[in-house]
Amino acid sequence: MNILVTGGAGYIGSHTCVELLKNNHSIIIADNLCNSKIETLDRIKQISNKELTFYQIDVTDASAVESIFSSHQIDGVIHFAGLKAVGESVSKPLEYYYNNIVSTMILAKACITYKVNKFVFSSSATVYGENKVPFVETMDLLPTTNPYGETKAMSERILRDAAKANPGFSVSLLRYFNPVGAHESGLIGEAPNGIPNNLMPYVTQVAKGKLEKLRVFGNDYPTVDGTGVRDYIHVVDLAEGHVVAIEKLTEGVHIYNLGTGQGTSVLQLLQAFQEANNIKIPYDIVDRRSGDIAICYADASKAERDLGWKAKRGVNEMCRDAWRFEKGYDEEQ
Ligand code: NAD
Ligand code: UD1
């Protein structure tokens, strides 16, 4: 297939591009590089030994999007482009609503106009809010505590309605759990701007000596050791999930959790990181972070049943690969 990948220079997008190329798909990347680097494109080519087409455009720019659709025969779209910092979405709600929702509408409209019938969307487990774990695709969505989460719930709704009104336009809504790790080459991975908000990049920066100590947000949750539990998924497993999701997309709207189904606490992840990499991570226990839930993990059985996809990589591999990327990344700065 010839696949348009928006946000293909970003963390999850770049790993997915590698897997798409590996599976003999052609890719066109549309990215404005607001949270990624142009060098990533060379890395994707280097790993896969294949070529790709790149447009540096903003996908909220309808005419720029239109010009890509009018000049290429596109079979499907994977829409990663979006802003994703939860805290920032609270202070800049309009930027988040505009970027994440307008982009989805413009791309869906272009697909319908140009009869591009396959659309895969990056959603998030955050749409489940405080449902009971494990989260199952059939659950009612609960309000999230921030505009970022709302943009995911609204984009899902928009795509669902667009598919209902336009038979043939088929949509896969992929709800990611906690993507971590990096490609085993160490060439691409997660490189957040500034001080990381998420656990794994924070830990790798402590390991590197860039940050002094991890702050563990709360040890009084009703969990195995009192710290928050999440379903960490290796980014390459997640990328492979996108390849099957677009290859096997059938008419209608399909929702899939992409997680492992396993919960890991903050202290368990820390322990795994220390053992996998033989590095000590100093930490302090501090207050809970506002907006955090105690436990989040997937019922990942639907993706296995329908798509034959299952996450294969464990927490040790996630820790090892995340650290390998961080080491290499810093050496180049
Ligand atoms: P990322 O920031 O690394 O990648 C997003 C890419 O989109 C970046 O390259 C950025 O430059 C680009 N982009 C943003 N707005 C754009 C626009 N208007 N036009 C063109 N390009 C634009 O993020 P990621 O972690 O790879 O996440 C990809 C998608 O998955 C996002 O939609 C995110 O909300 C979603 N998601 C991520 C996580 C996670 O933990 N990383 C979890 C759930 C869902
Ligand atoms: C965050 C987002 C969520 C998003 C998800 C995946 C928030 C409030 N939520 O979720 O919307 O879908 O990322 O991108 O940002 N932790 C520490 N110390 C740290 C960082 C994290 O103890 O420095 C703990 C957290 O309290 C949590 C766990 O580690 O228990 C994972 O945190 P994080 O990586 O930020 O992901 P989520 O909170 O699941």
Side-chain angles (χ1 to χ4, degrees):
M1 276 188 266
N2 200 18
I3 299 170
L4 173 63
V5 184
T6 75
Y11 173 46
I12 307 170
S14 59
H15 289 82
T16 302
C17 287
V18 166
E19 297 306 315
L20 289 167
L21 290 168
K22 199 164 135 189
N23 284 277
N24 297 318
H25 296 292
S26 301
I27 57 172
I28 301 159
I29 295 178
D31 198 305
N32 64 1
L33 304 178
C34 71
N35 197 34
S36 50
K37 297 208 167 92
I38 189 94
E39 291 79 24
T40 302
L41 303 173
D42 287 330
R43 305 289 182 89
I44 296 170
K45 292 193 247 179
Q46 191 183 336
I47 296 168
S48 59
N49 204 18
K50 300 248 173 80
E51 286 306 313
L52 56 82
T53 305
F54 173 62
Y55 290 98
Q56 186 171 348
I57 62 147
D58 191 311
V59 291
T60 62
D61 177 345
S63 63
V65 167
E66 169 100 27
S67 76
I68 296 179
F69 277 77
S70 63
S71 54
H72 294 271
Q73 173 62 46
I74 296 170
D75 301 303
V77 173
I78 306 183
H79 179 32
F80 291 106
L83 301 176
K84 64 163 183 176
V86 173
E88 188 184 61
S89 79
V90 177
S91 56
K92 298 179 176 170
L94 296 181
E95 277 183 33
Y96 273 69
Y97 283 117
Y98 188 85
N99 197 66
N100 292 3
I101 293 174
V102 171
S103 61
T104 302
M105 292 199 295
I106 285 175
L107 287 158
K109 190 158 181 267
C111 282
I112 291 160
T113 307
Y114 286 88
K115 304 211 173 345
V116 176
N117 281 332
K118 292 179 194 295
F119 196 101
V120 174
F121 177 67
S122 298
S123 188
S124 166
T126 195
V127 298
Y128 289 111
E130 290 197 73
N131 265 295
K132 221 167 129 329
V133 288
F135 296 156
V136 188
E137 290 88 343
T138 47
M139 282 173 164
D140 286 337
L141 302 189
L142 295 181
T144 64
T145 52
N146 56 77
Y148 167 75
E150 293 306 307
T151 68
K152 293 299 173 190
M154 283 182 203
S155 292
E156 284 199 7
R157 178 69 192 272
I158 289 165
L159 291 168
R160 202 194 289 262
D161 289 345
K164 208 189 318 170
N166 295 278
F169 179 59
S170 304
V171 174
S172 186
L173 304 172
L174 303 182
R175 294 179 179 160
Y176 312 154
F177 282 70
N178 287 57
V180 294
H183 191 266
E184 60 172 3
S185 63
L187 289 172
I188 53 173
E190 187 173 18
N193 289 327
I195 297 176
N197 294 310
N198 297 115
L199 180 61
M200 185 66 96
Y202 204 102
V203 169
T204 59
Q205 293 198 14
V206 172
K208 186 71 189 171
K210 269 163 97 174
L211 295 168
E212 196 193 328
K213 253 185 198 183
L214 175 71
R215 289 171 308 149
V216 174
F217 296 137
N219 66 349
D220 56 353
Y221 286 108
T223 62
V224 56
D225 54 22
T227 64
V229 165
R230 297 290 183 271
D231 184 340
Y232 298 97
I233 173 169
H234 197 293
V235 67
V236 176
D237 278 324
L238 189 60
E240 289 171 354
H242 288 74
V243 177
V244 288
I246 198 151
E247 285 179 349
K248 297 193 176 173
L249 183 54
T250 54
E251 182 144 1
V253 178
H254 307 273
I255 304 175
Y256 294 108
N257 285 341
L258 296 185
T260 64
Q262 302 288 321
T264 303
S265 75
V266 176
L267 292 181
Q268 287 169 337
L269 189 83
L270 211 53
Q271 182 68 21
F273 187 90
Q274 298 185 120
E275 281 170 17
N277 298 312
N278 205 17
I279 300 175
K280 188 132 187 58
I281 304 293
Y283 69 89
D284 286 331
I285 306 281
V286 301
D287 286 348
R288 292 179 178 193
R289 178 172 67 181
S290 108
D292 272 359
I293 57 172
I295 310 183
C296 168
Y297 62 90
D299 175 331
S301 58
K302 186 177 176 218
E304 186 173 6
R305 217 168 37 244
D306 288 9
L307 303 174
W309 172 90
K310 192 174 187 293
K312 300 192 284 271
R313 296 161 180 86
V315 169
N316 287 353
E317 223 167 326
M318 301 178 204
C319 292
R320 195 198 58 203
D321 291 342
W323 174 231
R324 186 191 293 113
F325 173 72
E326 177 66 36
K327 272 192 294 185
Y329 185 76
D330 273 0
E331 279 153 18
E332 288 167 5
Q333 298 305 296

